[in-house]
Amino acid sequence: MSQDGVSMEKFDKFVERVYRGIPERTSTIEEKERAIKAKKKIINHPDCPKDSKDKIKHEISIIQGEIDTIKSEQRMQAMNSSVFPPRDNLG
């Protein structure tokens, strides 16, 4: 086996280890943050191919957008469930 094949095999095992315990589809902010952290570790690995880095960076931005959406929805829900009536029903 060539040296390059050995390092890719090590990289593949590294990726498996980093993703261990993270679901394929994340639904909570905590799961999404763990997935981002794992993806950043993979990007920083010296054997990570450049095309993979670009794809992973795109995945991170999508997941970060999902986190932002969830947080925004939580803020809206908190505002709408306050003890005060909605502003349009003050009359």
Side-chain angles (χ1 to χ4, degrees):
M1 186 181 281
S2 72
Q3 183 65 24
D4 191 52
V6 170
S7 77
M8 282 313 294
E9 187 175 317
K10 284 183 179 180
F11 176 70
D12 290 343
K13 288 183 181 188
F14 171 78
V15 170
E16 284 179 34
R17 200 171 60 250
V18 169
Y19 279 141
R20 193 171 295 136
I22 297 174
E24 180 126 351
R25 295 212 176 255
T26 57
S27 57
T28 66
I29 290 174
E30 293 78 18
E31 287 174 342
K32 291 178 185 301
E33 287 173 341
R34 283 190 326 188
I36 287 173
K37 187 176 178 180
K39 290 177 183 297
K40 286 181 177 180
K41 282 183 182 179
I42 293 167
I43 287 173
N44 291 325
H45 192 281
D47 292 329
C48 183
K50 183 181 178 348
D51 59 331
S52 294
K53 286 182 182 188
D54 294 339
K55 181 181 176 201
I56 293 171
K57 286 177 183 177
H58 180 70
E59 291 171 357
I60 289 172
S61 69
I62 290 171
I63 296 170
Q64 187 60 56
E66 293 170 352
I67 290 172
D68 295 343
T69 299
I70 292 170
K71 286 181 178 180
S72 175
E73 289 170 355
Q74 288 175 343
R75 279 192 300 275
M76 288 301 293
Q77 186 177 15
M79 286 174 41
N80 290 336
S81 65
S82 72
V83 294
F84 300 105
R87 290 191 159 256
D88 58 346
N89 292 340
L90 294 177

